Amino acid sequence: MLKCNLIRRALALLALVFVNAAYADVVVIVSAKSPITSLSADQVSKIFLGKSSTFPNHKPAYPIDQQLGSPVRDEFYEKVVHKDASQLAAYWAKIIFTGEGRPPKLIVGDKAVVKTIADNPDAIGYIDSSALNHSVKAVLVP
Amino acid sequence: MLKKFCLALLLSSSAGISVAMADQNGVSPDNTEVSAVTDQTMFEFGSYGTVGATHASLNSADFALDAPMPTGAGRSGYLSPSNNTLIAAHVNATFTPDLTAIFQVISEYNANGNYRPEVEWANVKYAFTPDLDIKVGRFALPTFMDSENHDVGYSFVWVHTPFELYQQMPTMSVDGVNAIYHFSMGEAENTVKLIAGQNTTETAAGIVNSKNMRGIFDNLDFGQATFHLGYQTRDTSTQSELAGLNGVWVAASDLTAGLSYDPGSWFFKSEWLQDRTQYKTNAMYASVGYRIDRFTPYLMHSQSSAASAYDNALPYLNMAQKSNSVGVRWDFMKNFDLKMQYLHITLGNNSTGYLVNIPDNVSLSGKTFHVISAVVDFVF
């Protein structure tokens, strides 16, 4: 009986650890008002690299970046776009200095990103999943 | 005219100025205010450049990286800074979300043997729809996959773009009109560019004039792969007393194809060109690289054929050569990289390759030599 309890407690603890780990993950979000329900990593990647200016439903898409060097940004670009900070800087050097486009708008911090995206059905961003609330929805959990 | 227009743009407003690369790097103030996602700064300034030195194991000629350079490393000196050293200043202007302009001035070693700044790009772009843009002014001729950014060393892995290929087309810009149409095909993104215009390029061999330039270029992004196809025609003439070229207009056409695959931890890139005038020349390169943390070691093979004459055309200056290189890019700090490269070149029979400053009595046929380069690239 005691053994059983111990195992149950250990499992509960393990579950908690896993849940916590999951909550430290980046999620890609759009406004709760947006008709978009899910996106593939490839679709998100194209929007953030400026290769596509629209969502798959042909509505305009405005990507929002977080601060360079922030863990959430590094995780997003590693998992979704498969580029590290210097690869990304090299990529944008090509685009900017040929006038072909400009990098996503920068908004600092999960809270500010959530607030901006909640108010803009055309915006798309990424945050730590712990900052999720009812005003936005996750469309990709990489 | 273009210069005046762009200077007027620069001076006309002090509104919203920022640094182009700094925006991307998150230097903006920490504010938590909600701002409209479409807000854009009107003027963004940026700069890029390269500082470097090259050594070539030659004493009877100079190794020069670009067609306009009159001297380089070798006969003129054990080490040459001129091959790899340049600086550019850039401004992006956003007047409305649909109306934008760019102006870029570059200072690099030129045909006159100095670093006098020249206008690299100056154009106004209007977006008729989110998928259709028209550019008017001076813009890049997108012959190759890195034509538009060939001077931005920070934007690619190598020390320089493969010159056996890129020197086939010394004309890098067009004064004219460029229509850019973008569309999706399932999972793929496709961009078609149509260009029309003219150009004058000063090279070490003489002044190359191009008129009636027409071209269609297609870029297809599919997953981690990019495909590039291009076809262009023009009338061209080279005015050079040195080479005995008298400026006769010749019809020329170029067919280009390229492929790049970059899943993140490694890359493969290869391009090919066939240039047709009275002669036919082929050129290509293939390169692979592997990323280990901040280091990207790479290998490249590059070659250009001798120009083969159609019918009874006269023999032509032969530039056939092959090269193999090994190098590494090190992203040692934010916005800077350091690159080192060893390049081994073999000239074809009766070929002088892309060497310059060759004395009359020297034969370089079949010669092999090496070039060692070290450069630092930066962007701001």
Side-chain angles (χ1 to χ4, degrees):
Chain A
M1 195 67 179
L2 188 72
K3 218 176 186 180
C4 222
N5 258 343
L6 267 178
I7 290 170
R8 210 174 291 158
R9 276 190 194 180
L11 280 176
L13 201 70
L14 208 64
L16 203 68
V17 168
F18 273 109
V19 168
N20 272 338
Y23 269 85
D25 277 342
V26 65
V27 289
V28 178
I29 57 164
V30 297
S31 169
K33 297 177 213 160
S34 165
I36 306 287
T37 53
S38 88
L39 291 168
S40 70
D42 195 38
Q43 288 166 334
V44 172
S45 178
K46 281 193 284 196
I47 292 170
F48 274 84
L49 293 177
K51 291 179 178 181
S52 175
S53 58
T54 58
F55 286 112
N57 65 2
H58 304 293
K59 291 279 186 321
Y62 296 105
I64 290 172
D65 250 340
Q66 295 235 27
Q67 185 137 26
L68 189 88
S70 63
V72 68
R73 176 172 167 145
D74 288 349
E75 194 184 337
F76 170 76
Y77 278 103
E78 187 196 320
K79 284 186 173 175
V80 178
V81 185
H82 308 297
K83 286 187 193 296
D84 68 20
S86 33
Q87 280 171 269
L88 203 65
Y91 174 82
W92 282 111
K94 173 173 178 165
I95 307 292
I96 291 166
F97 293 123
T98 53
E100 295 288 299
R102 46 205 304 177
K105 190 177 174 66
L106 190 84
I107 291 180
V108 179
D110 286 346
K111 270 188 191 168
V113 171
V114 167
K115 198 157 184 240
T116 306
I117 288 178
D119 294 341
N120 290 282
D122 296 337
I124 177 169
Y126 52 86
I127 53 165
D128 189 291
S129 58
S130 63
L132 271 173
N133 68 27
H134 64 279
S135 68
V136 294
K137 59 184 168 186
V139 289
L140 174 67
V141 184
Chain B
M1 183 68 186
L2 271 171
K3 272 186 201 174
K4 277 183 188 164
F5 170 71
C6 292
L7 280 173
L9 286 186
L10 277 175
L11 298 171
S12 64
S13 169
S14 60
I17 288 171
S18 77
V19 176
M21 289 305 290
D23 248 13
Q24 169 63 12
N25 294 327
V27 182
S28 77
D30 186 346
N31 76 64
T32 49
E33 281 172 31
V34 176
S35 39
V37 289
T38 51
D39 272 2
Q40 294 285 18
T41 321
M42 186 179 282
F43 291 108
E44 285 183 312
F45 291 90
S47 175
Y48 64 82
T50 301
V51 178
T54 305
H55 164 72
S57 64
L58 285 167
N59 45 32
S60 49
D62 278 349
F63 170 80
L65 206 50
D66 272 336
M69 294 176 177
T71 63
R75 187 180 169 210
S76 296
Y78 185 81
L79 274 180
S80 161
S82 57
N83 266 333
N84 297 102
T85 300
L86 63 91
I87 188 158
H90 179 96
V91 58
N92 265 341
T94 306
F95 304 109
T96 72
D98 296 331
L99 184 65
T100 58
I102 68 165
F103 183 65
Q104 189 178 114
V105 176
I106 187 163
S107 167
E108 64 182 330
Y109 196 54
N110 62 35
N112 300 313
N114 60 40
Y115 285 83
R116 189 168 52 88
E118 285 171 15
V119 176
E120 178 98 326
W121 320 129
N123 62 65
V124 177
K125 182 165 89 173
Y126 186 73
F128 285 90
T129 73
D131 295 327
L132 177 67
D133 298 329
I134 303 283
K135 276 184 192 175
V136 178
R138 179 172 297 174
F139 52 86
L141 179 59
T143 308
F144 305 113
M145 293 176 95
D146 290 300
S147 289
E148 297 165 297
N149 53 302
H150 70 282
D151 279 323
V152 191
Y154 188 82
S155 69
F156 44 78
V157 171
W158 318 302
V159 167
H160 50 75
T161 49
F163 54 87
E164 283 88 351
L165 185 73
Y166 280 60
Q167 284 222 3
Q168 299 299 326
M169 195 59 202
T171 301
M172 294 309 242
S173 68
V174 183
D175 294 344
V177 186
N178 185 359
I180 303 151
Y181 182 61
H182 178 92
F183 60 95
S184 303
M185 298 193 308
E187 291 291 292
E189 299 295 328
N190 200 61
T191 306
V192 182
K193 292 182 179 175
L194 291 169
I195 64 108
Q198 59 182 32
N199 173 276
T200 299
T201 299
E202 271 189 76
T203 74
I207 295 171
V208 180
N209 284 302
S210 301
K211 64 178 185 184
N212 302 324
M213 299 173 80
R214 305 278 183 272
I216 179 165
F217 304 90
D218 188 76
N219 222 63
L220 180 83
D221 277 307
F222 181 69
Q224 314 293 343
T226 303
F227 302 90
H228 178 83
L229 271 178
Y231 180 72
Q232 58 186 300
T233 62
R234 65 194 175 282
D235 295 321
T236 180
S237 79
T238 304
Q239 195 83 47
S240 168
E241 283 177 29
L242 197 72
L245 300 169
N246 54 3
V248 171
W249 289 97
V250 173
S253 68
D254 288 274
L255 185 63
T256 43
L259 159 73
S260 120
Y261 183 72
D262 189 342
S265 56
W266 63 283
F267 73 87
F268 171 80
K269 200 166 189 176
S270 183
E271 290 184 84
W272 169 88
L273 162 141
Q274 186 170 82
D275 175 68
R276 293 177 180 220
T277 51
Q278 311 102 303
Y279 310 95
K280 188 165 76 176
T281 310
N282 292 311
M284 62 78 69
Y285 76 87
S287 178
V288 287
Y290 188 76
R291 298 191 178 91
I292 310 159
D293 195 21
R294 290 169 170 269
F295 293 91
T296 310
Y298 63 85
L299 296 170
M300 184 192 286
H301 172 79
S302 183
Q303 64 180 56
S304 56
S305 73
S308 59
Y310 293 113
D311 304 329
N312 296 319
L314 293 167
Y316 188 62
L317 194 65
N318 182 351
M319 299 167 94
Q321 73 172 43
K322 286 180 182 174
S323 76
N324 288 305
S325 50
V326 53
V328 63
R329 169 178 170 139
W330 176 28
D331 286 280
F332 67 98
M333 64 181 280
K334 195 172 103 181
N335 293 349
F336 284 85
D337 71 49
L338 168 69
K339 296 170 182 168
M340 285 181 287
Q341 179 180 276
Y342 175 86
L343 177 67
H344 186 266
I345 297 177
T346 306
L347 300 180
N349 289 331
N350 302 316
S351 168
T352 51
Y354 303 92
L355 298 173
V356 296
N357 196 16
I358 309 166
D360 285 342
N361 55 350
V362 167
S363 166
L364 295 162
S365 177
K367 188 174 175 61
T368 65
F369 60 98
H370 64 255
V371 178
I372 298 169
S373 316
V375 303
V376 171
D377 299 307
F378 57 87
V379 288
F380 293 109

